[in-house]
Amino acid sequence: MKTAIIGLDGATYRVIDEYRDELPTLSRLIDGGYHSVLNSTQPPTTSVAWPSFATGQNPAKYGMFDFMGRFPDELNFYINDARKKGFDFFWEYIDEPIGLASIPLIPYHSSDGFFIQGSLARINQDQITQPPALKDAIPDYYDYRINWRDDNEEILDGVMKRIAAREEFFKYLINECDVPLYFLMFNAIDHIQHHFWAFMDGSHPAHTDSQYNTAIRDAYKRFDEALENILACFDEPVNVLVASDHGFKPCHTEVNINALLNEWDYLEYEFQTSGAMLAEAYNRLTKYISPETIASLLPDSAQSAAKSRMPKNDRISDAIDWSRSKAYSFGVMPNVYLNLMGREKFGQVSQAAYDGLCDELAKMFLDLEDPKTGDQVFKRVHRRDELYQGPYIEQAPDLVLETNEGFYCSGNLGTTVFERKTSPTPNSGVHEQAGILIANGPDIANVECRETDGIADVAPSILHLLGYSIPESIDGTVITEMETTGREPVSSDRQKAEKRHVQDRVLALKQLGMI
């Protein structure tokens, strides 16, 4: 029995439920099978969530808590690279050939089936495939990614062409590669929701009547059509799982965590207030105007003065006065790190003061209200040991912030706390935990909607569906309500296919230039 996993990055029931009548394939799978809200990681971002989906583990076991990471003892901030991590992917415990296409952050897999390297996994522009000849079959627009400075027509056209290109290529893979497990990824839905959410959402403060009001609906409809055509390629019944790494919600207001910490006297900038204002002006301008255009309009003297006062995330070590700061934030979905003695290079917070400061900050965040609306900004503030257990926990944020509806965190280096969304683009839609899990097939139960499953539960459930025992390293549990196999889950200390694992690590280290 073949199994097909279809990753749909960022998919949400907020859209699917609204347009069920126009999504016949997803509706058929839901009505005749199993579906649940798939609860993502905290934070619910691609770089954290897809590894949890693929390993069945919590982030402290694979060491990724954001797109960015840090070496606190060096004050070195960097873009996370999956090659440097020791992932235990669920498919490494499968003894049969499998096919993986464009799973984010997955750098390599030595397979007798097929492999296409995913986004966020490349050091250069070379697309890694296995076998290598697959590279020549990849169609144009397969890896199209939104440039936020393009006009809306170009963005929408590119998204639709990307869905079509993936449909074409995935049908080719199914017809040419006979494997028991396919894992195929669509991620254009995530991109278009970031950009067009306010056009769709009539309650969004930035909503306007426009020809783009149906852009998100149309992208889901195009995916639904592609899904139907992909499933039609199988000449026998197949177990299919459609899953997202996180959901989506509206963003009315961005909340700058570093600005809050600065306002509360827990963080001091190294640069002057005028520099902070320049940094904010630059960050806002580059949402709409390219850095090259800005450079062409400013004289050299102004550029030099601005650059000296405009630190960015990768220069956060230069932007903060560490001798006068107790806490800071960074990253794409920023959380809070204490400037801890013995951990951070210029730590100011003693171990004895750690718990008290965490409690103090958590209360301040939970008490924060939007001065314009009076709404509570944060729903929950988690201590890291409430969410994570594993060897990488020391790299985790000390406090993880969960916002209420309409709010989103930023880690900019500025002094403005609240930034209102006054136009539909960009980023009027943002991530939330509530993703989707839809399953259908001969071995899938037909049951009412289950309220919640965890994203780490999918990996052991797939292994169980394929008849494998569950490695003890996996944190998730088998979703037994989803299956009709009648087998009880069995845990074991079985090891990965070691030869394949060693090959993958050698390839990764070679591309990094470490061997």
Side-chain angles (χ1 to χ4, degrees):
M1 179 69 61
K2 286 183 168 60
T3 297
I5 307 166
I6 310 296
L8 188 56
D9 198 296
T12 172
Y13 288 120
R14 290 177 188 251
V15 177
I16 292 171
D17 289 346
E18 179 73 17
Y19 300 112
R20 275 283 297 275
D21 291 344
E22 301 179 66
L23 304 172
T25 311
L26 287 173
S27 292
R28 173 173 57 80
L29 297 180
I30 289 171
D31 292 340
Y34 176 95
H35 70 291
S36 69
V37 173
L38 193 62
N39 220 25
S40 185
T41 52
Q42 279 287 8
T45 188
T46 294
S47 59
V48 185
W50 280 124
S52 183
F53 183 101
T55 61
Q57 297 175 342
N58 82 89
K61 284 191 176 177
Y62 51 83
M64 297 182 80
F65 303 93
D66 189 87
F67 282 99
M68 295 183 67
R70 85 199 200 289
F71 295 117
D73 57 335
E74 302 173 5
L75 286 184
N76 181 13
F77 298 83
Y78 57 89
I79 303 297
N80 262 318
D81 192 316
R83 295 166 186 78
K84 297 178 181 178
K85 307 297 183 180
F87 288 118
D88 290 325
F89 300 120
F90 74 81
W91 52 79
E92 294 183 281
Y93 296 91
I94 296 174
D95 298 327
E96 304 166 89
I98 63 170
L100 305 174
S102 296
I103 319 305
L105 292 122
I106 310 305
Y108 293 105
H109 180 63
S110 303
S111 175
D112 296 327
F114 63 84
F115 172 80
I116 295 90
Q117 193 175 46
S119 61
L120 311 172
R122 299 185 209 166
I123 288 178
N124 50 46
Q125 294 304 308
D126 289 339
Q127 170 66 280
I128 306 299
T129 65
Q130 178 70 28
L134 268 182
K135 186 188 301 186
D136 298 330
I138 296 175
D140 293 340
Y141 277 89
Y142 179 86
D143 270 334
Y144 170 82
R145 187 169 181 83
I146 285 178
N147 182 341
W148 301 113
R149 299 183 187 94
D150 287 344
D151 64 41
N152 288 337
E153 279 299 318
E154 289 179 292
I155 290 171
L156 190 55
D157 181 63
V159 163
M160 293 303 189
K161 285 179 177 176
R162 181 171 191 167
I163 294 173
R166 296 219 167 186
E167 175 194 347
E168 174 190 343
F169 188 50
F170 293 160
K171 290 192 297 183
Y172 169 83
L173 291 173
I174 293 168
N175 290 326
E176 296 295 322
C177 305
D178 186 18
V179 294
L181 175 67
Y182 299 80
F183 191 172
L184 313 173
M185 181 64 59
F186 287 86
N187 52 8
I189 292 292
D190 176 277
H191 301 163
I192 203 168
Q193 288 177 152
H194 275 301
H195 199 73
F196 288 92
W197 191 275
F199 286 115
M200 176 192 70
D201 183 354
S203 66
H204 197 289
H207 176 76
T208 58
D209 288 331
S210 163
Q211 68 193 89
Y212 304 113
N213 292 160
T214 63
I216 291 175
R217 181 206 67 182
D218 293 344
Y220 272 82
K221 288 176 66 175
R222 183 63 187 88
F223 164 76
D224 193 80
E225 177 187 341
L227 178 61
E228 179 67 25
N229 294 335
I230 287 167
L231 295 180
C233 292
F234 292 101
D235 55 9
E236 59 184 33
V238 59
N239 292 318
V240 58
L241 287 78
V242 181
S244 66
D245 54 334
H246 52 74
F248 254 79
K249 67 177 183 177
C251 175
H252 303 168
T253 303
E254 282 192 5
V255 184
N256 186 333
I257 305 306
N258 282 319
L260 266 178
L261 293 171
N262 176 253
E263 183 177 287
W264 293 340
D265 294 327
Y266 293 102
L267 179 146
E268 296 293 336
Y269 290 122
E270 191 68 63
F271 54 89
Q272 301 299 314
T273 303
S274 59
M277 292 170 65
L278 278 169
E280 289 188 41
Y282 181 83
N283 284 335
R284 292 188 188 197
L285 277 173
T286 53
K287 291 181 179 179
Y288 309 101
I289 305 172
S290 73
E292 293 76 19
T293 302
I294 295 172
S296 70
L297 297 174
L298 288 175
D300 290 344
S301 58
Q303 290 184 52
S304 298
K307 285 177 181 176
S308 68
R309 295 177 174 86
M310 291 193 302
K312 300 173 189 169
N313 264 336
D314 58 353
R315 290 178 52 206
I316 189 173
S317 55
D318 300 324
I320 292 174
D321 183 345
W322 298 97
S323 67
R324 297 189 297 151
S325 296
K326 293 182 178 180
Y328 63 98
S329 183
F330 76 96
V332 174
M333 294 191 72
N335 288 294
V336 178
Y337 299 78
L338 300 193
N339 189 18
L340 190 64
M341 292 179 179
R343 186 180 70 186
E344 267 71 14
K345 186 175 183 179
F346 302 113
Q348 300 298 308
V349 178
S350 69
Q351 291 286 349
Y354 178 87
D355 286 332
L357 183 55
C358 283
D359 291 341
E360 183 179 314
L361 283 169
K363 184 178 187 307
M364 295 184 74
F365 282 115
L366 288 172
D367 288 344
L368 181 68
E369 294 181 349
D370 184 332
K372 182 179 179 181
T373 65
D375 294 335
Q376 183 182 12
V377 175
F378 294 99
K379 182 190 300 184
R380 298 182 188 88
V381 179
H382 304 274
R383 295 280 287 267
R384 67 181 186 182
D385 54 3
E386 297 170 7
L387 299 174
Y388 313 126
Q389 300 85 38
Y392 292 102
I393 194 167
E394 285 302 314
Q395 296 181 16
D398 297 296
L399 296 175
V400 178
L401 308 174
E402 187 176 348
T403 57
N404 276 312
E405 183 88 351
F407 296 100
Y408 194 67
C409 296
S410 83
N412 293 336
L413 296 165
T415 56
T416 300
V417 174
F418 295 99
E419 181 179 345
R420 310 296 174 181
K421 290 292 179 184
T422 57
S423 63
T425 61
N427 232 35
S428 60
V430 293
H431 299 182
E432 69 172 349
Q433 272 195 290
I436 70 165
L437 175 62
I438 300 168
N440 194 296
D443 297 322
I444 303 298
N446 185 356
V447 296
E448 293 291 325
C449 177
R450 179 176 158 96
E451 185 174 349
T452 303
D453 292 312
I455 195 165
D457 296 336
V458 179
S461 300
I462 294 168
L463 287 173
H464 182 64
L465 188 65
L466 296 174
Y468 289 93
S469 59
I470 312 305
E472 292 178 347
S473 60
I474 282 181
D475 296 319
T477 57
V478 174
I479 308 169
T480 53
E481 296 87 348
M482 184 178 74
E483 301 178 17
T484 60
T485 61
R487 296 188 301 266
E488 288 295 320
V490 176
S491 178
S492 74
D493 60 356
R494 65 191 298 267
Q495 302 299 305
K496 293 179 279 189
E498 194 61 31
K499 180 180 178 182
R500 183 178 297 162
H501 177 64
V502 170
Q503 288 173 336
D504 291 349
R505 294 299 296 153
V506 168
L507 286 169
L509 294 173
K510 278 184 178 179
Q511 193 177 35
L512 285 169
M514 298 175 69
I515 59 173

